[in-house]
Structures are given as structure tokens and as C-alpha cells.
Amino acid sequence: MKVLVIGGGAREHALCRSLSLDPDVTALHCAPGNAGIAEVAELHGVDALDGRAVADLAVSLAADLVVVGPEAPLVAGVADAVRERGIPAFGPSARAAELEGSKAFAKDVMAAAGVPTARSYVCTTPEEIDTALDAFGAPYVVKDDGLAAGKGVVVTEDVAVARAHANACDRVVIEEFLDGPEVSLFAVTDGETVVPLQPAQDFKRAHDGDQGPNTGGMGAYSPLPWADPKLVDEVRQTVLQPTVDELRRRGTPFSGLLYAGLAITSRGVRVIEFNARFGDPETQVVLARLKTPLAGLLHAAATGALATFPPLRWSDGAAVTVVIASHNYPGTPRTGDPIGGLAEVAEQDAPDAYVLHAGTRRDADGAVLSAGGRVLSVTATGADLATARERAYRSVDRIALDGAHHRTDIAAKAAAGE
């Protein structure tokens, strides 16, 4: 099949890499893509938020499947525009994508579906904000109701910081703090059948030891040796399937990738948030372990055929991703710096380790330059987490990017059995 992927980050590079390895994919395109994606797909300079332009491109390519990667195009209705032209699209409708586009909408769906989540208040005035902060106390959890590229959440002991973040948003959700480790669980769904993938854990804080500001994610690993083996099935039954059923009941069926951010609390599993697309950087490690060809799975979801799709196959090994971020990320990042060491990783570490591009571009001379906050996702596989982790950091050490930073403790505790 001919596949068009929409987006230009490391998540889309991971998707394109997996699709390029699928023998059923005869042509692979990406819009707008990045310097790394260009090595496995043909790039097109189309605005990912322009539904009509994306649909026109898909028609001109005679695409058999369009995969919409980021959340903003989904909320903008890009998948709808593609489907209106008769082409299968992997990604929810704009109305269903409100599950990510509005935290308040997600809370309403969870309440109706009986999905376990944190108690919360939706606030639009300073008075409501103060009441909610007083009700829950520290640590304070304040979430921008809309899309914020993974950086709209503040968790703090300082009520002044929490209040300032809340008052800077048009509408916020303030909720109780959930204790316990966090887990990301993706599920592919066609609006009825739900097929969970393998769980992963990501690292949101910028610096080692979970210090520093929240980011879009600084690394991830899979599998989770410390997690209950029954976790995936429990979440499918208590979270994923009820949510999909409720959205279908409302007349807004959710077809695509449903991402549940979970807290494993002392009182059981609780949903922190939903996303309407593959997560970044968890996608990098989950797809590294998926042995089932990706195109057929996504096409089955896009065409309502998941009920008859064969069970997924997974590698027994582990995968670790380490994000290399540009100077000053997650503040205003510095861009335009040359990136060295990419050829060395490809020559010396493949196929056990490889680099997925996030914020990169090529200059007129063909050199790869930084072009965003999160620049690269260095991903490695191994028989166990310790091996995968060692390989990932060996490759990270080969990369040269002035002013860059990365965490050195991704998967360290899990690899050590802690």
C-alpha cells in the first residue's frame, strides 16, 4: 500500500521507520517531515494543519492510508478532511480528538464511562481557581484545558506558582495529586474493538532525578519489569474499552490511537490524561519492540477491521530512548547548530541503536542542523533494559551538538531492578 504520514517529529520518524520496514508498503510519503525522515520517505512541503491541502496531497499520491501523527492536526480536523475524500485515515475525528483537545471534555467522558481518574475542578475565574487550590492542597496539579504540546501541566508545592499558571490560562483543570509511578499505554482502536500495545514509561522533567521543568518528554523505556502482568488487560477493561464505548454512544466514535496516561496509585489505576495520538517519546520504544507489520494494523483500524486482525507479536527484548535537546529547552531553544556523529552511529551501532530525528533540517550544503527543542531521539534495543540502555547511551556519546543536554538516568532504576 501507499502510505502518507503527517507530521515532522521523532514520533513520525519512528512511524515512518516502522512503515519503511513493512513489506506491504510500496511507497512512503511524509508531510512535512524532517532531515531524518527524508532518508526513508519522500517529503512534501504541505502544512500539516491544512486539511484540504493534506487531502489534496493524499489524492494526488493515490494514498491507501494517511497516518496523522501530531495532536494539533487531529483537533483541526485533518483526518476528517482525508476521510471525506474517500481515503482511509488513521486518527480520530476533530470531535473525538477533543478527548485530548479539552481536559474538561475528557473528564466528562470519564465520568460518564465510569473510568477511574483524579477528582477535579474546571475553573475559569480567579475565585474558582483559589477555591480549587484550597480544596486539594499541595502538591498542586494545574492543567491548561487546551493543547500545550505536553508542557501545559504544572505540578508544584508552591501555591503562588500554581495560581500564576492557572490564571495565565483561559480555562484550567485543577485536580488532586495522584501518587505512584506513571505508565503510558497506547491502544489502537477502530471505534469498537480495542487493541492495546505494550506499556512504556516516559520521563517528563528536563533533568536527572526528575528535576527541572516539565518537557514534552526526555526519554522512555519498554517493557516495565515492575508492572503487574495483568495491568494491560485491566486497563483495557476498566479504561480503554469503556471510553471507546462512551464516545461511540455519544455519536463521536474514536478511531485511531487512544493514549492513556496512567498513575498506579495506592488505590489502584487512575487516568491522568488521555491523548488522541501516539506519544513522543514512548512511540519510539513501543514500535521498536513491535514485530507485527505496522501498516496492516493501522489500516485495519482506519477501515473498521480490527475485530479480525491477528494478535500482535512482540519482541522479548527491551528498548530505551534518550532525547537530545537543544540549548535552553524547554525554554526558547537555540536552533541552527550543526549536528555531528550521525554517520558514526549508523555505521557502528546499527541495527541495535539508531537515531530518530525530531527537530532537524538540512542546509543548502546538506548538513543536518538543529531546528527545534527536542532534536534527536536515540533509540536502542537489547535482550534486557540494561543492555538497551548501555547501547543507547553509547550512541548518545557519539552525537555532537553544541549546548545540547540530555538526561543520564533514563530507565536506570528499572534496569537495576529498583
Side-chain angles (χ1 to χ4, degrees):
M1 67 179 82
K2 299 177 183 177
V3 183
L4 169 61
V5 176
I6 303 303
R11 164 186 47 224
E12 288 75 37
H13 194 177
L15 288 163
C16 285
R17 179 181 182 274
S18 291
L19 290 165
S20 73
L21 298 173
D22 187 332
D24 287 336
V25 175
T26 54
L28 182 58
H29 303 266
C30 186
N34 61 38
I37 294 174
E39 297 174 7
V40 295
E42 182 180 344
L43 302 191
H44 302 270
V46 169
D47 182 356
L49 293 172
D50 187 336
R52 177 178 291 182
V54 169
D56 286 346
L57 175 62
V59 170
S60 71
L61 296 172
D64 300 297
L65 175 67
V66 175
V67 179
V68 184
E71 59 272 27
L74 290 167
V75 172
V78 169
D80 304 85
V82 171
R83 278 191 281 263
E84 286 169 7
R85 303 290 286 275
I87 296 175
F90 181 81
S93 66
R95 290 180 66 194
E98 280 298 292
L99 200 62
E100 175 169 4
S102 168
K103 304 288 191 300
F105 176 73
K107 287 289 188 182
D108 185 63
V109 170
M110 283 188 270
V115 170
T117 187
R119 293 181 297 118
S120 64
Y121 292 97
V122 179
C123 306
T124 57
T125 68
E127 293 75 21
E128 290 174 345
I129 289 167
D130 288 343
T131 298
L133 292 174
D134 290 343
F136 290 130
Y140 303 98
V141 181
V142 183
K143 299 180 176 181
D144 190 334
D145 181 55
L147 295 179
K151 298 190 285 288
V153 178
V154 165
V155 181
T156 178
E157 297 280 345
D158 189 332
V159 70
V161 172
R163 185 180 294 113
H165 180 67
N167 283 315
C169 304
D170 290 333
R171 184 162 76 156
V172 293
V173 173
I174 296 175
E175 62 184 37
E176 67 175 328
F177 176 77
L178 296 175
D179 63 332
E182 295 185 11
V183 173
S184 298
L185 184 62
F186 303 157
V188 173
T189 177
D190 58 9
E192 293 191 22
T193 301
V194 174
V195 178
L197 306 186
Q198 288 288 298
Q201 186 174 63
D202 78 332
F203 294 74
K204 287 292 187 192
R205 299 285 185 171
H207 308 306
D208 285 7
D210 293 326
Q211 300 298 305
N214 260 350
T215 71
M218 294 298 292
Y221 69 93
S222 180
L224 311 181
W226 47 268
D228 188 327
K230 296 177 289 194
L231 174 67
V232 172
D233 198 51
E234 177 189 344
V235 173
R236 182 184 63 77
Q237 293 182 44
T238 63
V239 173
L240 300 169
Q241 192 70 57
T243 300
V244 168
D245 291 345
E246 172 62 19
L247 286 167
R248 188 174 68 253
R249 187 191 67 77
R250 293 178 178 219
T252 55
F254 188 105
S255 170
L257 196 289
L258 179 57
Y259 164 161
L262 308 165
I264 313 302
T265 77
S266 54
R267 304 184 307 282
V269 175
R270 297 289 186 272
V271 175
I272 300 170
E273 65 178 358
F274 282 125
N275 292 322
R277 39 69 195 181
F278 280 103
D280 183 343
E282 300 99 319
T283 300
Q284 290 86 302
V285 291
V286 172
L287 292 186
R289 298 185 55 231
L290 180 64
K291 295 177 72 173
T292 297
L294 184 61
L297 173 63
L298 303 187
H299 189 268
T303 56
L306 272 182
T308 58
F309 195 80
L312 301 186
R313 295 181 294 114
W314 298 91
S315 75
D316 293 329
V320 171
T321 285
V322 180
V323 169
I324 297 177
S326 58
H327 176 73
N328 201 42
Y329 177 78
T332 303
R334 192 173 79 201
T335 60
D337 289 310
I339 302 168
L342 297 173
E344 287 78 5
V345 174
E347 292 165 5
Q348 300 180 44
D349 300 342
D352 298 323
Y354 47 89
V355 178
L356 297 169
H357 292 229
T360 67
R361 63 177 179 87
R362 288 191 185 274
D363 66 11
D365 299 322
V368 178
L369 308 179
S370 63
R374 290 187 295 176
V375 181
L376 304 170
S377 283
V378 180
T379 302
T381 57
D384 51 37
L385 281 174
T387 304
R389 188 174 182 278
E390 178 184 339
R391 289 171 173 171
Y393 279 105
R394 180 181 61 195
S395 295
V396 167
D397 289 342
R398 300 192 199 279
I399 302 296
L401 175 59
D402 186 50
H405 63 97
H406 65 272
R407 285 185 57 159
T408 66
D409 61 348
I410 304 299
K413 289 183 177 180
E418 297 178 21

